[in-house]
């Protein structure tokens, strides 16, 4: 293998390594973003459950006030 070809192969390997590192960074960022979305969805679910509980409480309170009147 000629020195020129060896340098080309070495350069290509360096490019592949750099691209692999960039993909690794992007994958990590995507993973973190997905985790944030999952956390937000979980929080929204909890808030919706709490809102439903409050709505049911208020509905029952309204019924009991109407019955007392």
């Amino acid at each position: 293998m000629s020195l020129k070809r060896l340098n080309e192969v070495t350069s290509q390997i360096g490019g592949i390594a750099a691209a692999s590192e960039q993909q690794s960074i992007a994958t990590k960022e995507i993973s973190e973003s997905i985790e944030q979305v999952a956390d937000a969805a979980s929080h929204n679910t909890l808030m919706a459950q709490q809102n439903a509980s409050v709505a049911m409480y208020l509905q029952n309170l309204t019924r009991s006030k109407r019955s007392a009147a």
Side-chain angles (χ1 to χ4, degrees):
M1 184 180 281
S2 71
L3 183 58
K4 180 180 177 186
R5 182 67 183 135
L6 183 60
N7 286 338
E8 289 173 356
V9 170
T10 301
S11 177
Q12 289 174 347
I13 291 171
I16 291 169
S20 178
E21 178 65 24
Q22 290 173 349
Q23 286 179 343
S24 178
I25 291 168
T27 300
K28 182 180 178 190
E29 289 173 354
I30 290 168
S31 177
E32 289 171 353
S33 294
I34 289 172
E35 191 173 329
Q36 289 174 354
V37 169
D39 288 345
S42 178
H43 177 75
N44 287 344
T45 299
L46 178 62
M47 296 305 295
Q49 289 170 342
Q50 289 176 347
N51 286 340
S53 293
V54 169
M56 188 171 292
Y57 169 77
L58 291 174
Q59 183 179 30
N60 290 336
L61 185 62
T62 302
R63 284 182 183 155
S64 68
K65 294 293 182 185
R66 285 183 183 159
S67 296

